[in-house]
Amino acid sequence: MIELDLAGRLSSQADTTVVGLRPGGDAPTLSGWPKDQDKSFAKRHGQSLLQAARLIGASADQGVVRVIPDGDRRRVVVGLGQSQPDPESLRQAVASAVRGVTGGGDRPLRHIALSLGLDDPASIRAAGEGALLAAYRFTPVSAAAQPAGLERVTVVAAPNASARRAVELARATATAVNRARDLVNRPPNLLAPADLAERATALARPAKVKVEVLDQPALVRGGYGGLLAVGGGSDRPPRLVKLSWAPRGAQAHVALVGKGITFDSGGLDLKPPAAMATMASDMAGAAVCLAAIVAAAELDLKVTVTAWLALAENLPSGTAYRPSDVITIHDGTTVENYNTDAEGRLVLADALSRAGQDKPDLLVDIATLTGAKMIALGNSTNAVFASDDATADQLLAAARDAGEAFWRLPITAEARQALKSQVADIKSGGRREGGALVAAAFLQRFTAGLPWAHLDIAGAAFNTGEAHDLLPAGGTGTGVRTLIALLTALAA
Ligand code: BES
Ligand code: MN
Ligand code: ZN
């Protein structure tokens, strides 16, 4: 975990200093670089930092990064794009700077000071988040000693109460995203449903989030037919984890439901190898819910949150469920199974119907649910579906606050039509066209008419390309910032 703190002035402790370059009337100007520092810099180098930076191509364009060695320190000049950058631009610019210090894969230095000359809480928060998100590295599974990475980021700004809260928000938010990334990147042999339940417990307990784990016998007793069917092909049985954060003074109650398929082989409807390659990340929804509820507790948000992690491993075997099986979901609905690779909606159906029994004010599920979502929106935009316009707008507003890309898709009559069954109450699919909509229409059947949003993060949860700016290779933690923004907005 990387520390984030606040300092009133630039101290000499940091090995790397990031300062901003803003567009000016005639020429760009440095911001956050104190005069006395520049005097001593000029003594050592015979020119000002601005001159030195300009000589090697520094520019005020957003995200242009130049590194100027200064003894055993490094001064980093980053273009801010605007004279008063908005939080999203700032987050991106700082991320470019932190990545630029050592390039994509290497580890950054130990201690970075961000001195950008911006004192407002939104800028402080954005800068802190940008740095911590860009500095994330997965620690490889290895017995060998790993090089030490970045330990601390210090934001230089006037240290008043709102600045301190902004740092606290940035620290909790970025730490949550990085925790979700760590879970998603953990190899599937080392993260069976029971292991993920254990990790959830280990993260939740210190944050005073209550934990309840339903094991296989408890799932049988509770009639969780979706989880039992999907997990039935694996020797490593399913789990349903309930996490509760219920602070005094809370008014709203939000239930979060996460898809936690620790590995999705497709089951008997086996995926081809290329499609299976990234399916260790099919538990990203559960990781996001876990990270978000822990952050809500760390930030002491006055909102009641219940998170349900629906955990199973989807494998083919002699005990695996079949296409055309009829499965009874927790609420008693019978489902004709369309395809064993459409497993996510079955475990979510169990968890949604259980979550709905508590009558929360809002139900939100998040899942790497459909390849069809990736065809519709690509990998850098998430899909949101909702029971009504107000709920959709609530999610889209949270996403905008958080700086994450979401786009609303509809639940159409055509999609509902695809779920008709001759042998059960409902079928789990049956139409490839608009497949993301069909999945959403299925899930809605288990929401008891409550205000509900469904977030399909397929493709965006796992970056198969290169790291850039905020985005690492592998697990991205997409959705964490939006859920935290949503919970913050609902807190009393
Ligand atoms: N986990 C996959 C969806 C997915 C695909 C996520 C690629 C991320 C990247 C899901 O369980 C799945 O296999 N969905 C099927 C559903 C179909 C059989 C109705 C799909 O999208 O092909
Ligand atoms: Mn699948
Ligand atoms: Zn899946």
Side-chain angles (χ1 to χ4, degrees):
M1 207 169 91
I2 305 163
E3 297 295 332
L4 184 68
D5 60 15
L6 185 68
R9 56 187 304 279
L10 195 55
S11 82
S12 53
Q13 276 151 17
D15 50 56
T16 304
T17 311
V18 178
V19 302
L21 193 53
R22 304 196 218 199
D26 303 325
T29 55
L30 285 179
S31 66
W33 181 236
K35 281 216 170 61
D36 55 328
Q37 293 265 355
D38 204 42
K39 261 197 197 128
S40 62
F41 182 95
K43 253 189 215 138
R44 292 192 295 277
H45 299 278
Q47 60 187 343
S48 72
L49 178 61
L50 181 58
Q51 286 167 327
R54 297 272 291 193
L55 270 179
I56 57 171
S59 135
D61 292 350
Q62 185 191 311
V64 175
V65 178
R66 289 296 179 271
V67 181
I68 299 97
D70 182 9
D72 55 4
R73 299 228 164 76
R74 295 196 277 185
R75 313 295 181 182
V76 180
V77 174
V78 59
L80 298 180
Q82 306 154 59
S83 55
Q84 291 301 324
D86 59 274
E88 182 52 20
S89 312
L90 193 60
R91 206 185 273 117
Q92 293 289 340
V94 169
S96 309
V98 168
R99 227 175 254 294
V101 175
T102 48
D106 304 341
R107 284 171 184 262
L109 294 185
R110 295 298 180 80
H111 184 180
I112 296 177
L114 300 174
S115 184
L116 300 164
L118 299 164
D119 282 327
D120 62 293
S123 294
I124 292 170
R125 178 174 183 183
E129 282 182 9
L132 264 52
L133 292 174
Y136 171 80
R137 300 291 181 274
F138 180 67
T139 304
V141 181
S142 169
Q146 297 300 318
L150 183 69
E151 283 164 5
R152 180 178 297 275
V153 173
T154 300
V155 180
V156 181
N160 52 42
S162 58
R164 271 191 288 274
R165 181 66 178 168
V167 164
E168 195 46 36
L169 283 164
R171 188 201 58 76
T173 304
T175 299
V177 175
N178 289 343
R179 280 177 181 149
R181 291 168 171 180
D182 267 340
L183 289 167
V184 170
N185 289 331
R186 184 133 180 103
N189 60 325
L190 304 180
L191 196 70
D195 303 319
L196 184 43
E198 221 169 83
R199 290 204 163 221
T201 306
L203 281 173
R205 287 264 160 81
K208 301 202 169 66
V209 170
K210 242 181 68 191
V211 188
E212 221 179 293
V213 179
L214 302 193
D215 61 8
Q216 180 139 10
L219 294 174
V220 172
R221 284 196 299 277
Y224 292 94
L227 278 157
L228 291 166
V230 171
S234 171
D235 289 338
R236 308 193 294 175
R239 294 284 187 270
L240 179 62
V241 178
K242 178 188 185 183
L243 303 163
S244 325
W245 166 244
R248 217 162 294 182
Q251 269 144 37
H253 177 195
V254 183
L256 306 175
V257 172
K259 171 179 174 182
I261 301 299
T262 58
F263 189 73
D264 182 11
S265 71
L268 292 176
D269 289 312
L270 197 65
K271 285 180 185 294
M276 209 186 293
T278 60
M279 284 300 116
S281 65
D282 211 23
M283 33 57 71
V288 168
C289 291
L290 167 61
I293 193 173
V294 171
E298 288 174 348
L299 290 167
D300 197 19
L301 297 182
K302 301 299 185 204
V303 53
T304 298
V305 187
T306 312
W308 299 89
L309 316 183
L311 311 179
E313 186 174 41
N314 187 20
L315 295 182
S317 80
T319 57
Y321 80 134
R322 290 157 285 262
S324 71
D325 277 357
V326 172
I327 294 153
T328 304
I329 300 300
H330 175 71
D331 70 350
T333 303
T334 57
V335 176
E336 177 191 350
N337 186 33
Y338 160 62
N339 183 304
T340 64
D341 200 9
E343 83 297 337
R345 62 198 74 182
L346 297 175
V347 303
L348 290 173
D350 268 345
L352 280 169
S353 54
R354 175 60 191 88
Q357 282 176 357
D358 301 341
K359 297 283 171 249
D361 302 299
L362 175 63
L363 252 177
V364 181
D365 76 73
I366 179 161
T368 48
L369 202 61
T370 65
K373 177 260 139 193
M374 295 157 67
I375 303 297
L377 294 177
N379 289 345
S380 58
T381 304
N382 291 308
V384 54
F385 299 83
S387 54
D388 59 280
D389 293 348
T391 303
D393 290 345
Q394 213 174 359
L395 263 293
L396 290 169
R400 203 174 318 111
D401 280 356
E404 293 190 312
F406 276 82
W407 195 263
R408 187 180 182 187
L409 295 178
I411 301 175
T412 56
E414 180 185 60
R416 283 195 200 95
Q417 193 69 26
L419 303 174
K420 291 219 161 123
S421 171
Q422 308 301 323
V423 301
D425 296 331
I426 182 180
K427 206 156 102 183
S428 59
R431 197 188 162 84
R432 286 169 48 82
E433 298 95 333
L437 287 58
V438 174
F442 178 84
L443 294 180
Q444 188 163 25
R445 292 280 299 244
F446 302 93
T447 59
L450 292 163
W452 159 74
H454 158 55
L455 313 179
D456 193 338
I457 57 170
F462 192 86
N463 174 21
T464 54
E466 298 279 296
H468 58 89
D469 300 339
L470 297 174
L471 199 76
T476 64
T478 190
V480 172
R481 288 190 280 148
T482 295
L483 289 187
I484 294 174
L486 176 74
L487 298 176
T488 305
L490 289 169

